[in-house]
């Protein structure tokens, strides 16, 4: 056997796994199809990598089996990763909502993982695309695109999801699971902007660039974060978050002034300054362009003093209870993650090993565990990578 462990994919999960396996004395090799490791780490968090979240718990993860992530997240926690970052003297800060970012650049996290791997004797090969895998009598045989054949005792699939195909994301990991009889749940783009079409898009497109804090809900799930109007629909953290819960045909509810009873505010304004037009008053509460788009319409023509209670009710509902029907999402082109993936029913939650295929492991985004926006997806990569590293 050439290697005790081969990890396919030098992303967050794969590098963590190889470092841990190396520290345990395993002869580990990471194969990466790209010419550089950790490309998604490099572009993450606007170049500063939101590497974990202080408040990470299993509650911020979506999966067909929400219990699955509990073991890994509790065995390797955000505090463990923060301790590692500290040991490497990487400065960091909390931006908002427990989200931790590098003070410098995301490259520091990549360098840290490479240093951990090197220190543990784990090796990395770039421009090494795995094309084909076969089970052998004592492990696995891998064929690279170059034609080279390598053997290993344990194989860790850390090939990530389908998001950002421009960066080389493929469905290789899912196909590999399928080849070995490991089930894969339905996959779809998540943490992704929502799009509109028809009249709604025509009405909203002029608002592109306008941002406002909002409360966005779909079914029973609600997020209070910023919302951004785009040329094609809605984006911003609140929308990216809700996109993981949204399904085609469902409406989303948007409160554009959470915490403000707009009806009461309009009534008070009508009493105090009845000559004001509604959109001028609303511009004291909302971005001006947004206030105009909502209230500078034939429905609300004239001064506030001339508007009936019914009209004020309708206007308030457009702000506190706006209901929109997205036509779709921007898709994998811009999605931050893939929802769904390797079915956790077929994996052991402590080791990430496939239940029916000894020596085969799946970690990181390829698994059906998807975090909220805010450092949760990297925490899953670290935790699942660490667990597999401990087990291989
Ligand atoms: C723009 C953007 C910003 C993000 N920002 C954040 C953030 O700030 N915080 C956060 O928590 N999450 C963030 N995410 C999500 C996060 O990047 C991913 O969840 C995480 O990178 C998944 O890690 P992974 O190791 O599972 O997969 P990846 O990082 O995708 O790594 C998989 C690797 O496998 C390689 N590979 C695939 N197939 C093969 C093959 N056949 N042979 C060899 N190599 C192969 C790929 O080239 C890739 O390098 C962001 C995502 C995007 C797209």
């Amino acid at each position: 056997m050439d290697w005790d462990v081969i990890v396919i994919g030098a992303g967050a999960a794969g590098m963590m796994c190889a470092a841990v396996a190396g520290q345990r004395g395993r002869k580990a090799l990471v194969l990466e199809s790209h010419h550089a490791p950790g490309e998604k780490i490099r572009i993450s968090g606007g170049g500063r990598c939101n590497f974990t979240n202080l408040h990470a718990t299993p509650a911020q993860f979506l999966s067909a089996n929400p219990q699955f992530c509990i073991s890994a997240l509790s065995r390797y926690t955000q505090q463990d990763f923060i301790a590692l970052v500290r040991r490497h003297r990487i400065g960091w800060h909390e931006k908002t909502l427990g989200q931790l970012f590098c003070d410098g650049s995301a490259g520091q996290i990549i360098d840290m993982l490479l240093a951990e791997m090197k220190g543990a004797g784990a090796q990395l090969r770039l421009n090494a695309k795995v094309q084909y895998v076969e089970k052998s009598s004592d492990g696995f045989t891998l064929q690279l695109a170059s034609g080279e054949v390598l053997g290993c005792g344990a194989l860790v699939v850390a090939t990530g999801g389908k998001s950002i195909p421009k960066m080389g994301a493929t469905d290789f990991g899912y196909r590999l699971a399928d080849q070995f009889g490991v089930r894969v749940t339905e996959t779809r783009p998540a943490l992704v902007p929502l799009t509109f079409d028809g009249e709604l898009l025509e009405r909203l497109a002029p608002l592109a660039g306008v941002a406002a804090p909002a409360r966005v809900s779909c079914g029973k799930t609600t997020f209070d974060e910023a919302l951004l109007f785009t040329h094609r629909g809605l984006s911003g953290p609140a929308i990216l978050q809700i996109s993981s819960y949204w399904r085609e045909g469902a409406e989303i509810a948007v409160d554009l002034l959470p915490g403000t009873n707009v009806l009461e505010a309009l009534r008070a304004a009508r009493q105090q300054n009845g000559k004001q037009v509604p959109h001028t008053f609303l511009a004291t509460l909302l971005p001006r362009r947004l206030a105009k788009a909502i209230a500078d319409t034939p429905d609300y023509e004239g001064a506030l003093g001339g508007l009936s209670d019914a009209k004020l009710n309708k206007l308030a509902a457009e702000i506190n209870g706006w209901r929109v029907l997205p036509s779709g999402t921007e898709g994998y082109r811009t999605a931050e993650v893939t929802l769904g993936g390797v079915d956790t029913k077929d994996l052991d939650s402590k080791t990430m090993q496939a239940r029916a295929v000894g020596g085969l492991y799946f970690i990181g985004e390829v698994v059906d565990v998807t975090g909220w926006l805010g450092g949760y997806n990297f925490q899953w990569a670290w935790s699942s990578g660490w667990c597999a590293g401990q087990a291989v």
Side-chain angles (χ1 to χ4, degrees), residues 7 9-11 30-38 124-129:
V7 179
V30 183
L31 297 172
E32 168 56 51
S33 56
H34 204 64
H35 59 77
L124 168 66
R125 274 178 57 183
L126 301 171
N127 300 309
K129 183 175 183 163

Side-chain angles (χ1 to χ4, degrees), residues 2-7 14-31 88 112-125:
D2 303 323
W3 300 90
D4 295 331
V5 190
I6 287 183
V7 179
M15 289 196 278
M16 171 61 92
C17 175
V20 173
Q23 283 154 12
R24 290 178 49 249
R26 302 291 183 270
K27 197 177 158 207
L29 170 69
V30 183
L31 297 172
H88 285 259
M112 176 188 84
L113 293 165
L114 291 173
E116 286 288 304
M117 281 173 56
K118 196 170 175 203
Q123 293 199 24
L124 168 66
R125 274 178 57 183

Side-chain angles (χ1 to χ4, degrees), residues 126 184 207 292:
L126 301 171
V184 177
L207 288 174
K292 239 175 140 0

